[in-house]
Amino acid sequence: MNIVLFAMLGLFIFMMFRRNKKTKEQQATLQSQFAPGVEVMTSFGLFGRIVSMDDEENKVVLELSPGNLATVHRQAVTKIVEPAVADEEPTVVPDDASSITSQETDAAPDVVVDTPDEVGKRLNDEGKKDI
């Protein structure tokens, strides 16, 4: 019974070290892709573009929006944001609304259009205040 317990403990320790090693390798490959102009996301949810990097002090300067800069620790940058590429055709938007409106007048025969005076009278008849 003791042998099984020590084997399980050894397996647990081995898996723990293996996971840490994989995490460090992933972080190293990610940080090797950092360069000025790359769109990134920080661990706390800020999106920005890398402006400059200081390897000695482990600092990265991000441009959050035009003219707004933020300095963060290099390890706070956790993800490179790649722009979404649309595989399908872009949606064509017409210049006027006439092509998207229905030409038929019988599209909704059950709809009754009330004037503002009729709506006010109906609300007053139901015991509600006039708006």
Side-chain angles (χ1 to χ4, degrees):
M1 187 69 166
N2 287 339
I3 295 173
V4 174
L5 183 63
F6 284 120
M8 288 178 55
L9 180 65
L11 181 65
F12 176 72
I13 292 172
F14 171 74
M15 296 298 278
M16 186 175 60
F17 282 119
R18 183 173 174 225
R19 182 171 181 241
N20 286 343
K21 184 179 177 183
K22 281 187 176 184
T23 304
K24 285 181 183 179
E25 287 175 359
Q26 288 176 347
Q27 188 72 17
T29 57
L30 178 71
Q31 288 190 3
S32 68
Q33 296 174 351
F34 289 167
V38 175
E39 294 279 335
V40 295
M41 182 182 88
T42 63
S43 60
F44 43 93
L46 282 178
F47 288 89
R49 177 177 287 122
I50 296 177
V51 176
S52 65
M53 298 176 6
D54 185 6
D55 291 332
E56 294 175 3
E57 295 184 21
N58 288 328
K59 291 183 180 180
V60 176
V61 178
L62 299 177
E63 182 178 31
L64 306 176
S65 63
N68 293 322
L69 300 176
T71 304
V72 297
H73 194 275
R74 187 177 179 134
Q75 289 180 344
V77 180
T78 57
K79 185 177 180 182
I80 293 178
V81 179
E82 297 179 9
V85 178
D87 293 335
E88 56 192 54
E89 293 182 16
T91 305
V92 178
V93 179
D95 291 338
D96 60 348
S98 64
S99 64
I100 58 174
T101 57
S102 168
Q103 297 296 329
E104 300 176 14
T105 57
D106 297 333
D110 297 338
V111 177
V112 177
V113 179
D114 291 337
T115 62
D117 293 332
E118 292 173 344
V119 171
K121 183 179 177 190
R122 184 173 38 88
L123 288 176
N124 283 334
D125 291 343
E126 293 174 0
K128 298 181 181 174
K129 289 185 175 180
D130 192 359
I131 298 177

